[in-house]
Amino acid sequence: MRAYLAGPEVFLPNPAAIGRKKKEICEYHGLAGAFPMDAEIDLTGLTPTARGHVIYRADVAMMVSCDLIIANITPFRGPSADVGTAFEMGYMAALGKPVFAYSNVKAGFLDRTRAHFGGALYHRKADGKLADPMDMAVEEFDMADNLMLHGALVEDGLFVHDAPPGSEFTDLVAFEAAVKAAAERYRKAPASAGR
Amino acid sequence: MRAYLAGPEVFLPNPAAIGRKKKEICEYHGLAGAFPMDAEIDLTGLTPTARGHVIYRADVAMMVSCDLIIANITPFRGPSADVGTAFEMGYMAALGKPVFAYSNVKAGFLDRTRAHFGGALYHRKADGKLADPMDMAVEEFDMADNLMLHGALVEDGLFVHDAPPGSEFTDLVAFEAAVKAAAERYRKAPASAGR
């Protein structure tokens, strides 16, 4: 079983190193990990936009080659997951492949959204909805992030813990828990059996 | 042709009103618009999490029923698009359905990311990568957002303009441009013909 390892760690100073660690953890638990940056592509001489398109197609091909996805939804530049990771969760969900996720931040979606607005308080509106300082509703579904992300997860497919400050994008404790669960559930079964 | 109308306007104080406007614009151009909140679902007596799951399934069913997606990728609570919208772009891309997008903020991804960090300057690293104050790389692909979102778009499928301040989530000028383009390209053709 091949697991697509989605997450914002592709933006870390040394993404290959964390990709290697993640794949080692997968291997230990009996899964094959596929890390986005492993795609062998030649970007020589391409314009920036063309480079982006080539990487997109390589990542899509890698997703298609995988049986499930383990997504790092640790909040990235805001209260929610990295949008590239969110896109990939949607892509894999549409292909009917099991979606697992983990986050290295335990604070809930409401608290993270409040922190994004510098701690500004929410207000409860006449229709009962909770709104942020921009008067946009904040979801109260007791979910880890926007309902589309959380809704796509397989049952018991979410692993959250508080990584030590500063290691939010490198800590692999919750990741390993997700890998272990995915391996136990799908190591021997075809991906479609779990849905 | 049915267009799935994705975007953070579901969080506006009166989402039904903007949904109606968006569908009127679609109809005017010869498309049928499908707005996430139109799904007829009964959430009575459900726990918050169960409500989230029911809405997820309704939105997925609506996406499956549509021929293409027009996504509002206006930055939402950070430098990037709403993650729910990003998820839906991935979902529709995986189904092989054309992805159009618009944004009501013209500022580029680099400038928006810098603004997210309070204007803090980037630094150029030894390997040539541009990094944010957290030392995470910032993509330089001359794309509107994370490369997965931009990479998924059909050719000439992106419409960006600067909405008047305060109307970033209600202005429909760029939306209408996207609808017009989608209608011209797909009104009479099956969705698969354009890819």
Side-chain angles (χ1 to χ4, degrees), chain B residues 54-73:
Chain B
V54 169
I55 297 171
Y56 172 81
R57 286 192 292 266
D59 287 352
V60 160
M62 190 177 279
M63 280 194 279
V64 169
S65 79
C66 285
D67 303 293
L68 57 88
I69 179 171
I70 300 174
N72 178 358
I73 60 168

PDB file of all heavy atoms in Angstrom, chain B residues 54-73:
ATOM      1  N   VAL B  54     -23.068  15.622   7.508  1.00  0.00           N
ATOM      2  CA  VAL B  54     -24.208  15.646   6.580  1.00  0.00           C
ATOM      3  C   VAL B  54     -23.994  16.724   5.515  1.00  0.00           C
ATOM      4  O   VAL B  54     -24.238  16.498   4.321  1.00  0.00           O
ATOM      5  CB  VAL B  54     -25.531  15.881   7.349  1.00  0.00           C
ATOM      6  CG1 VAL B  54     -26.671  16.188   6.382  1.00  0.00           C
ATOM      7  CG2 VAL B  54     -25.865  14.662   8.205  1.00  0.00           C
ATOM      8  N   ILE B  55     -23.502  17.881   5.950  1.00  0.00           N
ATOM      9  CA  ILE B  55     -23.252  18.960   4.983  1.00  0.00           C
ATOM     10  C   ILE B  55     -22.142  18.524   4.015  1.00  0.00           C
ATOM     11  O   ILE B  55     -22.225  18.769   2.811  1.00  0.00           O
ATOM     12  CB  ILE B  55     -22.861  20.273   5.711  1.00  0.00           C
ATOM     13  CG1 ILE B  55     -24.026  20.744   6.597  1.00  0.00           C
ATOM     14  CG2 ILE B  55     -22.495  21.354   4.699  1.00  0.00           C
ATOM     15  CD1 ILE B  55     -23.669  21.909   7.519  1.00  0.00           C
ATOM     16  N   TYR B  56     -21.113  17.878   4.535  1.00  0.00           N
ATOM     17  CA  TYR B  56     -20.032  17.382   3.669  1.00  0.00           C
ATOM     18  C   TYR B  56     -20.593  16.484   2.568  1.00  0.00           C
ATOM     19  O   TYR B  56     -20.298  16.668   1.387  1.00  0.00           O
ATOM     20  CB  TYR B  56     -18.991  16.609   4.494  1.00  0.00           C
ATOM     21  CG  TYR B  56     -17.948  15.914   3.632  1.00  0.00           C
ATOM     22  CD1 TYR B  56     -16.858  16.607   3.122  1.00  0.00           C
ATOM     23  CD2 TYR B  56     -18.072  14.559   3.309  1.00  0.00           C
ATOM     24  CE1 TYR B  56     -15.920  15.979   2.319  1.00  0.00           C
ATOM     25  CE2 TYR B  56     -17.132  13.927   2.503  1.00  0.00           C
ATOM     26  CZ  TYR B  56     -16.061  14.640   2.006  1.00  0.00           C
ATOM     27  OH  TYR B  56     -15.138  14.025   1.200  1.00  0.00           O
ATOM     28  N   ARG B  57     -21.420  15.536   2.985  1.00  0.00           N
ATOM     29  CA  ARG B  57     -21.945  14.591   1.990  1.00  0.00           C
ATOM     30  C   ARG B  57     -22.848  15.287   0.979  1.00  0.00           C
ATOM     31  O   ARG B  57     -22.851  14.948  -0.202  1.00  0.00           O
ATOM     32  CB  ARG B  57     -22.670  13.440   2.691  1.00  0.00           C
ATOM     33  CG  ARG B  57     -21.700  12.467   3.366  1.00  0.00           C
ATOM     34  CD  ARG B  57     -22.382  11.174   3.798  1.00  0.00           C
ATOM     35  NE  ARG B  57     -23.328  11.383   4.883  1.00  0.00           N
ATOM     36  CZ  ARG B  57     -23.033  11.246   6.186  1.00  0.00           C
ATOM     37  NH1 ARG B  57     -21.816  10.911   6.567  1.00  0.00           N
ATOM     38  NH2 ARG B  57     -23.958  11.448   7.107  1.00  0.00           N
ATOM     39  N   ALA B  58     -23.612  16.279   1.442  1.00  0.00           N
ATOM     40  CA  ALA B  58     -24.483  17.024   0.519  1.00  0.00           C
ATOM     41  C   ALA B  58     -23.645  17.815  -0.488  1.00  0.00           C
ATOM     42  O   ALA B  58     -23.965  17.858  -1.686  1.00  0.00           O
ATOM     43  CB  ALA B  58     -25.392  17.966   1.313  1.00  0.00           C
ATOM     44  N   ASP B  59     -22.563  18.413  -0.005  1.00  0.00           N
ATOM     45  CA  ASP B  59     -21.700  19.200  -0.903  1.00  0.00           C
ATOM     46  C   ASP B  59     -21.006  18.287  -1.916  1.00  0.00           C
ATOM     47  O   ASP B  59     -20.868  18.637  -3.091  1.00  0.00           O
ATOM     48  CB  ASP B  59     -20.661  19.989  -0.090  1.00  0.00           C
ATOM     49  CG  ASP B  59     -21.294  21.175   0.650  1.00  0.00           C
ATOM     50  OD1 ASP B  59     -22.488  21.457   0.406  1.00  0.00           O
ATOM     51  OD2 ASP B  59     -20.600  21.807   1.459  1.00  0.00           O
ATOM     52  N   VAL B  60     -20.582  17.131  -1.459  1.00  0.00           N
ATOM     53  CA  VAL B  60     -19.945  16.177  -2.369  1.00  0.00           C
ATOM     54  C   VAL B  60     -20.941  15.723  -3.448  1.00  0.00           C
ATOM     55  O   VAL B  60     -20.615  15.676  -4.634  1.00  0.00           O
ATOM     56  CB  VAL B  60     -19.385  14.965  -1.580  1.00  0.00           C
ATOM     57  CG1 VAL B  60     -19.166  13.771  -2.488  1.00  0.00           C
ATOM     58  CG2 VAL B  60     -18.081  15.355  -0.882  1.00  0.00           C
ATOM     59  N   ALA B  61     -22.160  15.424  -3.019  1.00  0.00           N
ATOM     60  CA  ALA B  61     -23.179  14.996  -3.986  1.00  0.00           C
ATOM     61  C   ALA B  61     -23.442  16.104  -5.004  1.00  0.00           C
ATOM     62  O   ALA B  61     -23.617  15.839  -6.205  1.00  0.00           O
ATOM     63  CB  ALA B  61     -24.471  14.626  -3.252  1.00  0.00           C
ATOM     64  N   MET B  62     -23.451  17.344  -4.517  1.00  0.00           N
ATOM     65  CA  MET B  62     -23.681  18.468  -5.427  1.00  0.00           C
ATOM     66  C   MET B  62     -22.522  18.609  -6.412  1.00  0.00           C
ATOM     67  O   MET B  62     -22.725  18.835  -7.611  1.00  0.00           O
ATOM     68  CB  MET B  62     -23.874  19.758  -4.625  1.00  0.00           C
ATOM     69  CG  MET B  62     -24.364  20.925  -5.458  1.00  0.00           C
ATOM     70  SD  MET B  62     -24.658  22.419  -4.469  1.00  0.00           S
ATOM     71  CE  MET B  62     -26.276  22.086  -3.782  1.00  0.00           C
ATOM     72  N   MET B  63     -21.304  18.439  -5.923  1.00  0.00           N
ATOM     73  CA  MET B  63     -20.146  18.507  -6.831  1.00  0.00           C
ATOM     74  C   MET B  63     -20.238  17.434  -7.915  1.00  0.00           C
ATOM     75  O   MET B  63     -20.004  17.706  -9.096  1.00  0.00           O
ATOM     76  CB  MET B  63     -18.839  18.327  -6.044  1.00  0.00           C
ATOM     77  CG  MET B  63     -18.385  19.590  -5.345  1.00  0.00           C
ATOM     78  SD  MET B  63     -16.656  19.477  -4.766  1.00  0.00           S
ATOM     79  CE  MET B  63     -16.833  18.564  -3.246  1.00  0.00           C
ATOM     80  N   VAL B  64     -20.574  16.239  -7.494  1.00  0.00           N
ATOM     81  CA  VAL B  64     -20.665  15.125  -8.449  1.00  0.00           C
ATOM     82  C   VAL B  64     -21.717  15.423  -9.519  1.00  0.00           C
ATOM     83  O   VAL B  64     -21.571  15.040 -10.675  1.00  0.00           O
ATOM     84  CB  VAL B  64     -20.973  13.809  -7.695  1.00  0.00           C
ATOM     85  CG1 VAL B  64     -21.332  12.688  -8.652  1.00  0.00           C
ATOM     86  CG2 VAL B  64     -19.772  13.409  -6.823  1.00  0.00           C
ATOM     87  N   SER B  65     -22.767  16.162  -9.124  1.00  0.00           N
ATOM     88  CA  SER B  65     -23.857  16.473 -10.057  1.00  0.00           C
ATOM     89  C   SER B  65     -23.499  17.604 -11.013  1.00  0.00           C
ATOM     90  O   SER B  65     -24.260  17.902 -11.932  1.00  0.00           O
ATOM     91  CB  SER B  65     -25.118  16.852  -9.280  1.00  0.00           C
ATOM     92  OG  SER B  65     -25.029  18.204  -8.829  1.00  0.00           O
ATOM     93  N   CYS B  66     -22.372  18.266 -10.775  1.00  0.00           N
ATOM     94  CA  CYS B  66     -22.004  19.424 -11.598  1.00  0.00           C
ATOM     95  C   CYS B  66     -20.981  19.050 -12.673  1.00  0.00           C
ATOM     96  O   CYS B  66     -20.290  18.038 -12.576  1.00  0.00           O
ATOM     97  CB  CYS B  66     -21.437  20.534 -10.715  1.00  0.00           C
ATOM     98  SG  CYS B  66     -22.718  21.398  -9.773  1.00  0.00           S
ATOM     99  N   ASP B  67     -20.892  19.912 -13.699  1.00  0.00           N
ATOM    100  CA  ASP B  67     -20.004  19.648 -14.835  1.00  0.00           C
ATOM    101  C   ASP B  67     -18.685  20.390 -14.731  1.00  0.00           C
ATOM    102  O   ASP B  67     -17.714  20.047 -15.407  1.00  0.00           O
ATOM    103  CB  ASP B  67     -20.703  20.062 -16.130  1.00  0.00           C
ATOM    104  CG  ASP B  67     -22.025  19.335 -16.300  1.00  0.00           C
ATOM    105  OD1 ASP B  67     -21.980  18.116 -16.484  1.00  0.00           O
ATOM    106  OD2 ASP B  67     -23.090  19.975 -16.187  1.00  0.00           O
ATOM    107  N   LEU B  68     -18.673  21.443 -13.939  1.00  0.00           N
ATOM    108  CA  LEU B  68     -17.454  22.235 -13.768  1.00  0.00           C
ATOM    109  C   LEU B  68     -17.555  22.989 -12.457  1.00  0.00           C
ATOM    110  O   LEU B  68     -18.602  22.998 -11.810  1.00  0.00           O
ATOM    111  CB  LEU B  68     -17.247  23.192 -14.953  1.00  0.00           C
ATOM    112  CG  LEU B  68     -18.351  24.190 -15.298  1.00  0.00           C
ATOM    113  CD1 LEU B  68     -18.204  25.503 -14.520  1.00  0.00           C
ATOM    114  CD2 LEU B  68     -18.322  24.528 -16.792  1.00  0.00           C
ATOM    115  N   ILE B  69     -16.444  23.628 -12.070  1.00  0.00           N
ATOM    116  CA  ILE B  69     -16.430  24.399 -10.824  1.00  0.00           C
ATOM    117  C   ILE B  69     -15.915  25.803 -11.093  1.00  0.00           C
ATOM    118  O   ILE B  69     -14.997  25.987 -11.905  1.00  0.00           O
ATOM    119  CB  ILE B  69     -15.566  23.688  -9.740  1.00  0.00           C
ATOM    120  CG1 ILE B  69     -15.527  24.510  -8.430  1.00  0.00           C
ATOM    121  CG2 ILE B  69     -14.157  23.405 -10.230  1.00  0.00           C
ATOM    122  CD1 ILE B  69     -14.882  23.769  -7.249  1.00  0.00           C
ATOM    123  N   ILE B  70     -16.554  26.782 -10.466  1.00  0.00           N
ATOM    124  CA  ILE B  70     -16.058  28.156 -10.481  1.00  0.00           C
ATOM    125  C   ILE B  70     -15.774  28.516  -9.032  1.00  0.00           C
ATOM    126  O   ILE B  70     -16.698  28.679  -8.221  1.00  0.00           O
ATOM    127  CB  ILE B  70     -17.063  29.127 -11.123  1.00  0.00           C
ATOM    128  CG1 ILE B  70     -17.335  28.701 -12.567  1.00  0.00           C
ATOM    129  CG2 ILE B  70     -16.538  30.567 -11.067  1.00  0.00           C
ATOM    130  CD1 ILE B  70     -18.438  29.499 -13.261  1.00  0.00           C
ATOM    131  N   ALA B  71     -14.477  28.597  -8.705  1.00  0.00           N
ATOM    132  CA  ALA B  71     -14.061  28.736  -7.309  1.00  0.00           C
ATOM    133  C   ALA B  71     -13.611  30.147  -6.985  1.00  0.00           C
ATOM    134  O   ALA B  71     -12.833  30.750  -7.730  1.00  0.00           O
ATOM    135  CB  ALA B  71     -12.927  27.756  -7.015  1.00  0.00           C
ATOM    136  N   ASN B  72     -14.094  30.655  -5.879  1.00  0.00           N
ATOM    137  CA  ASN B  72     -13.671  31.955  -5.372  1.00  0.00           C
ATOM    138  C   ASN B  72     -12.420  31.748  -4.516  1.00  0.00           C
ATOM    139  O   ASN B  72     -12.513  31.262  -3.387  1.00  0.00           O
ATOM    140  CB  ASN B  72     -14.799  32.562  -4.539  1.00  0.00           C
ATOM    141  CG  ASN B  72     -14.415  33.898  -3.929  1.00  0.00           C
ATOM    142  OD1 ASN B  72     -13.294  34.366  -4.101  1.00  0.00           O
ATOM    143  ND2 ASN B  72     -15.351  34.507  -3.217  1.00  0.00           N
ATOM    144  N   ILE B  73     -11.251  32.104  -5.079  1.00  0.00           N
ATOM    145  CA  ILE B  73     -10.000  31.897  -4.335  1.00  0.00           C
ATOM    146  C   ILE B  73      -9.495  33.196  -3.709  1.00  0.00           C
ATOM    147  O   ILE B  73      -8.312  33.312  -3.353  1.00  0.00           O
ATOM    148  CB  ILE B  73      -8.893  31.240  -5.198  1.00  0.00           C
ATOM    149  CG1 ILE B  73      -8.537  32.110  -6.419  1.00  0.00           C
ATOM    150  CG2 ILE B  73      -9.305  29.839  -5.645  1.00  0.00           C
ATOM    151  CD1 ILE B  73      -7.250  31.628  -7.123  1.00  0.00           C
TER     152      ILE B  73
END
